[in-house]
Amino acid sequence: QVQLIESGGGLVQAGGSLRLSCAASGRTFSRYAMGWFRQAPGKEREFVATVNWSGGDTEYADSVKGRFTISRDNAKNMVYLQMNSLKPEDTAVYYCVARNNLFISARSREYAYWGQGTQVTVSS
């Protein structure tokens, strides 16, 4: 029902910034909570950030609080992840996710739709 396409990944030096974008298909985008997860090589996927249907409620992993900001533009069916003060440990494939619910969740199993992922590499 929902197709998600991420973009904006790339290579950046530690301390730098990137903005990830997620374009979502569908006519009911504003009904879905959205989020970002990431998976580093050899590691389990982990929660990064979520935003509720309106953009007024967000949640972040402790590891990215104060550095990352999730936002959405329902008029454009877009979700963003602004990443500042990047660290080498932020290196991972980042996935945009959508939940069939208005409200946020940090549990990956609550999200039914996943994008293809975009690679973020932070060099030291």
Side-chain angles (χ1 to χ4, degrees), residues 70-121:
I70 188 171
S71 61
R72 68 190 297 162
D73 186 340
N74 287 345
K76 297 181 178 179
N77 282 16
M78 296 289 291
V79 181
Y80 306 99
L81 185 68
Q82 179 66 47
M83 305 184 295
N84 298 326
S85 301
L86 283 163
K87 304 174 181 179
E89 51 263 44
D90 294 318
T91 295
V93 176
Y94 284 71
Y95 297 93
C96 178
V97 298
R99 184 189 184 202
N100 292 328
N101 195 282
L102 297 173
F103 309 113
I104 60 175
S105 174
R107 298 182 176 183
S108 62
R109 61 185 176 89
E110 298 293 328
Y111 293 87
Y113 305 101
W114 292 67
Q116 82 285 356
T118 185
Q119 177 70 48
V120 172
T121 302

Side-chain angles (χ1 to χ4, degrees), residues 47-67:
F47 166 74
V48 177
T50 63
V51 59
N52 77 331
W53 69 276
S54 69
D57 191 18
T58 59
E59 183 178 343
Y60 298 91
D62 289 341
S63 60
V64 305
K65 285 182 179 178
R67 300 189 298 119

